[in-house]
Amino acid sequence: MDYSALLLLVLAGLGIFSGNSSVTIAMVVLLLLRVMNLHQTFPWLEKYGLTVGIVLLTIGVMAPLASGRITVQEVLTSFLHWKSLLAIGVGVLVAYLGGRGVTLMSSQPAVVNGLLIGTVLGVAFFKGVPVGPLIAAGILSLLLGKS
Protein backbone atom coordinates (compact mmCIF):
# COMPACT_ATOMS: atom_id res chain seq x y z
CA MET A 1 0.00 0.00 0.00
CA ASP A 2 1.26 3.48 -0.91
CA TYR A 3 0.87 5.35 2.38
CA SER A 4 2.33 8.58 1.01
CA ALA A 5 -0.33 8.72 -1.69
CA LEU A 6 -3.01 7.84 0.86
CA LEU A 7 -1.88 10.69 3.12
CA LEU A 8 -1.90 13.11 0.17
CA LEU A 9 -5.41 11.92 -0.68
CA VAL A 10 -6.57 12.48 2.91
CA LEU A 11 -5.05 15.96 2.90
CA ALA A 12 -6.73 16.71 -0.44
CA GLY A 13 -10.00 15.57 1.13
CA LEU A 14 -9.40 17.93 4.06
CA GLY A 15 -8.80 20.70 1.55
CA ILE A 16 -12.10 19.93 -0.17
CA PHE A 17 -13.91 19.60 3.18
CA SER A 18 -12.57 22.95 4.37
CA GLY A 19 -13.20 24.66 1.04
CA ASN A 20 -9.53 25.55 0.71
CA SER A 21 -8.62 25.24 -2.94
CA SER A 22 -4.91 25.97 -2.33
CA VAL A 23 -4.45 22.84 -0.22
CA THR A 24 -6.62 20.76 -2.53
CA ILE A 25 -4.77 21.85 -5.68
CA ALA A 26 -1.35 21.31 -4.07
CA MET A 27 -2.23 17.80 -2.91
CA VAL A 28 -3.80 16.84 -6.25
CA VAL A 29 -0.73 18.10 -8.16
CA LEU A 30 1.55 16.05 -5.89
CA LEU A 31 -0.70 13.01 -6.32
CA LEU A 32 -0.63 13.44 -10.11
CA LEU A 33 3.17 13.65 -10.06
CA ARG A 34 3.24 10.34 -8.16
CA VAL A 35 0.65 8.65 -10.38
CA MET A 36 2.35 9.84 -13.57
CA ASN A 37 5.64 8.47 -12.17
CA LEU A 38 7.34 11.87 -12.29
CA HIS A 39 9.30 11.24 -9.10
CA GLN A 40 12.31 13.04 -10.57
CA THR A 41 10.44 16.33 -9.98
CA PHE A 42 10.31 15.89 -6.21
CA PRO A 43 13.96 16.75 -5.48
CA TRP A 44 13.58 19.93 -7.56
CA LEU A 45 10.35 20.83 -5.75
CA GLU A 46 11.97 20.16 -2.38
CA LYS A 47 14.95 22.33 -3.27
CA TYR A 48 13.26 25.23 -5.09
CA GLY A 49 9.53 24.98 -4.34
CA LEU A 50 9.66 27.17 -1.25
CA THR A 51 11.68 29.85 -3.06
CA VAL A 52 9.34 29.82 -6.05
CA GLY A 53 6.36 30.04 -3.71
CA ILE A 54 7.83 32.99 -1.83
CA VAL A 55 8.60 34.76 -5.12
CA LEU A 56 5.01 34.24 -6.31
CA LEU A 57 3.63 35.40 -2.96
CA THR A 58 5.82 38.52 -3.09
CA ILE A 59 4.66 39.23 -6.64
CA GLY A 60 1.04 38.91 -5.52
CA VAL A 61 1.57 41.23 -2.56
CA MET A 62 3.44 43.84 -4.60
CA ALA A 63 1.14 43.73 -7.67
CA PRO A 64 -1.12 46.58 -6.40
CA LEU A 65 1.96 48.83 -6.14
CA ALA A 66 3.23 47.79 -9.56
CA SER A 67 -0.19 48.30 -11.17
CA GLY A 68 -0.60 51.75 -9.64
CA ARG A 69 -3.62 50.78 -7.54
CA ILE A 70 -1.50 51.75 -4.51
CA THR A 71 0.52 54.88 -5.12
CA VAL A 72 3.97 55.74 -3.80
CA GLN A 73 2.30 58.65 -1.99
CA GLU A 74 0.02 56.19 -0.15
CA VAL A 75 3.04 54.12 0.84
CA LEU A 76 4.84 57.18 2.19
CA THR A 77 1.71 58.35 4.02
CA SER A 78 1.54 54.96 5.77
CA PHE A 79 4.56 56.00 7.84
CA LEU A 80 2.43 58.70 9.45
CA HIS A 81 -0.35 56.54 10.92
CA TRP A 82 0.08 54.43 14.05
CA LYS A 83 -1.81 51.45 12.58
CA SER A 84 0.44 51.44 9.54
CA LEU A 85 3.55 51.70 11.72
CA LEU A 86 2.27 48.79 13.80
CA ALA A 87 1.63 46.86 10.58
CA ILE A 88 5.20 47.55 9.46
CA GLY A 89 6.50 46.28 12.81
CA VAL A 90 4.39 43.13 12.58
CA GLY A 91 5.60 42.64 9.01
CA VAL A 92 9.21 42.83 10.17
CA LEU A 93 8.49 40.34 12.98
CA VAL A 94 6.78 37.90 10.60
CA ALA A 95 9.63 38.16 8.09
CA TYR A 96 12.10 37.47 10.90
CA LEU A 97 10.08 34.46 12.06
CA GLY A 98 9.82 33.20 8.49
CA GLY A 99 13.59 33.41 8.11
CA ARG A 100 14.09 31.44 11.32
CA GLY A 101 11.47 29.00 10.06
CA VAL A 102 13.31 28.35 6.80
CA THR A 103 16.51 27.68 8.75
CA LEU A 104 14.76 25.29 11.15
CA MET A 105 12.94 23.45 8.36
CA SER A 106 16.16 22.86 6.44
CA SER A 107 18.23 21.91 9.49
CA GLN A 108 15.59 19.69 11.15
CA PRO A 109 13.43 18.10 8.46
CA ALA A 110 11.74 15.87 11.06
CA VAL A 111 9.67 18.83 12.28
CA VAL A 112 8.41 19.63 8.77
CA ASN A 113 5.77 16.87 8.86
CA GLY A 114 4.28 18.14 12.09
CA LEU A 115 4.27 21.71 10.84
CA LEU A 116 2.60 20.71 7.58
CA ILE A 117 -0.06 18.58 9.26
CA GLY A 118 -0.72 21.34 11.78
CA THR A 119 -1.02 23.91 9.02
CA VAL A 120 -3.39 21.78 6.96
CA LEU A 121 -5.53 21.12 10.06
CA GLY A 122 -5.55 24.84 10.81
CA VAL A 123 -6.65 25.54 7.24
CA ALA A 124 -9.26 22.79 7.26
CA PHE A 125 -10.86 23.44 10.63
CA PHE A 126 -10.11 27.08 11.48
CA LYS A 127 -10.40 28.74 8.05
CA GLY A 128 -6.68 29.50 8.06
CA VAL A 129 -4.45 30.19 5.09
CA PRO A 130 -1.68 27.75 4.12
CA VAL A 131 1.18 30.20 4.56
CA GLY A 132 1.63 29.06 8.13
CA PRO A 133 4.48 26.51 7.98
CA LEU A 134 7.22 29.14 7.77
CA ILE A 135 5.85 31.26 10.58
CA ALA A 136 5.02 28.16 12.62
CA ALA A 137 8.60 26.95 12.13
CA GLY A 138 9.88 30.37 13.19
CA ILE A 139 7.80 30.29 16.38
CA LEU A 140 8.90 26.69 16.96
CA SER A 141 12.54 27.75 16.54
CA LEU A 142 12.02 30.36 19.27
CA LEU A 143 10.46 27.74 21.55
CA LEU A 144 13.26 25.27 20.83
CA GLY A 145 15.94 27.92 21.19
CA LYS A 146 17.28 27.25 17.67
CA SER A 147 18.39 29.99 15.33
Side-chain angles (χ1 to χ4, degrees):
M1 171 151 254
D2 186 357
Y3 290 108
S4 295
L6 183 61
L7 181 58
L8 290 171
L9 192 58
V10 167
L11 293 173
L14 278 174
I16 292 168
F17 171 75
S18 66
N20 192 300
S21 59
S22 299
V23 170
T24 306
I25 291 168
M27 297 308 122
V28 168
V29 166
L30 292 171
L31 275 167
L32 285 173
L33 291 173
R34 287 182 66 82
V35 169
M36 293 174 13
N37 206 23
L38 295 172
H39 296 278
Q40 69 272 16
T41 60
F42 291 126
W44 187 90
L45 288 171
E46 289 175 27
K47 186 173 182 180
Y48 300 111
L50 185 61
T51 301
V52 170
I54 290 170
V55 168
L56 289 174
L57 182 62
T58 304
I59 289 170
V61 169
M62 297 305 292
L65 182 65
S67 71
R69 195 171 66 80
I70 296 176
T71 65
V72 174
Q73 181 62 36
E74 289 174 309
V75 172
L76 295 174
T77 304
S78 70
F79 288 101
L80 302 176
H81 194 274
W82 72 270
K83 288 181 182 177
S84 294
L85 290 172
L86 184 60
I88 290 168
V90 169
V92 168
L93 176 64
V94 167
Y96 168 73
L97 289 173
R100 285 184 66 112
V102 168
T103 302
L104 180 72
M105 290 172 83
S106 54
S107 69
Q108 296 189 32
V111 302
V112 173
N113 295 329
L115 292 168
L116 294 177
I117 298 298
T119 298
V120 170
L121 292 174
V123 167
F125 296 112
F126 300 106
K127 301 297 181 199
V129 179
V131 296
L134 286 178
I135 306 308
I139 293 169
L140 181 61
S141 77
L142 289 175
L143 295 173
L144 296 175
K146 307 283 182 190
S147 57

